[in-house]
Amino acid sequence: MTKIISDIIITSFIVFVLIFSLFRSNDSFSSFVEGVKDGIKISIKIFPNVFALILAVELFIKTGAVEMFETFLGPIFNKLGIFQESLGLIMIKPFSGSASYVVLKDIFEKFGPDSQIGIYSSIICASTETLFYVITTYLACTRVKKTRYLIPVAIAVDFIVLLVAAFLVKNGLK
Amino acid sequence: MNAFWLFLILFSILVQVINGDINKITTILFSAPKTALQIFVTIACSIILWSGFLRLAQDSGLIKILERFLKPILSLLFKTKNEEAFKWMSTNIIANLLGLGNAATPAGIKAMEELSKENSKDFASSDMILFVILNTCSIQLIPTTMIMLRHEYGSENPTVVLFPILFVSLVGLFFGIIFCKVISRVLRR
């Protein structure tokens, strides 16, 4: 059902862009081609950085480093009021959107989507971002070497989101 | 980013050594580039496709119209006077709101390129940092993928998370902007 909504949004967006362009009578085809050239340039520019990041993340996930973190950090997060069972999701999400959905599906299978943990996981998965991936891709095209306070602020904001969501789920939302 | 990247790799290898399965490291190390390349190809394809449509929207003047709505808000937040940067920032934000995450990326990268033109140093300007923070706050009007997934896994109430997601994202956005503004002011003194 919602898959349909998402398909409708994307399709109608594209149709709208095309019809708008038709009425403005510019050369849609060559515009699109120019855009594709841009896209290829962007992709090539960000390739080394994205590749390096994904490589490190693959190692991090596959070697079981995530599980290691879970056993250490779990109790601390629990004390802070954050659901310990969602820790895997919390750790993967900043790096990879697709991997985080795999973790979320595991949580749904184990606890059910309507359990407190399921609802908490849904909320944080949708309201946090793949922040290390975003930082890497967005900075790849600039000559920036030092990110100054960017990463600390991004992590702090993520943390606030985790806490507020936990508070919501524990007080009221069922 | 450097220290962070080294930590990810070295820690992962260390964990594997502790687990006593050293030969698995090479297996993973040699299969990881392949996975990385596959993931990158998927990302690149969507960037290329959306760049095409974005250019179409740009050349037809559609983006200019969208920009008119968002520019007043954005010029309150950002110091830049660069028109191109505002154009791409507006596009990026609208694509994010609509949940067209893949379309947001090329527009965001273009906005960053524009912002970095005014910044000759090797560290990020406060405008650049604020813009990336806005992007990591993930404001979506309709989190379609999430609702779809909940429905698929037999949730009795897939949309119960809608309001909390919006609320929590807005709280994140609020703090993100406050932190950025306060820190950039303190650093400037």
Side-chain angles (χ1 to χ4, degrees), chain A residues 71-122:
Chain A
T71 37
F72 281 123
L73 290 178
I76 301 171
F77 272 64
N78 213 10
K79 279 222 173 82
L80 293 171
I82 296 169
F83 292 85
Q84 198 174 341
E85 295 80 353
S86 306
L87 198 59
L89 181 67
I90 292 169
M91 299 206 48
I92 302 290
K93 177 78 193 190
F95 301 105
S96 160
S98 45
S100 72
Y101 280 117
V102 176
V103 181
L104 182 70
K105 283 175 184 172
D106 279 349
I107 293 175
F108 281 174
E109 257 160 30
K110 223 188 273 176
F111 303 100
D114 292 326
S115 64
Q116 275 203 334
I117 293 160
I119 288 182
Y120 181 66
S121 304
S122 311

Side-chain angles (χ1 to χ4, degrees), chain A residues 7-28:
Chain A
D7 285 344
I8 289 174
I9 293 175
I10 292 176
T11 314
S12 48
F13 177 76
I14 288 172
V15 170
F16 180 72
V17 169
L18 290 173
I19 291 179
F20 192 85
S21 160
L22 182 71
F23 278 109
R24 290 302 177 97
S25 67
N26 59 322
D27 187 349
S28 315

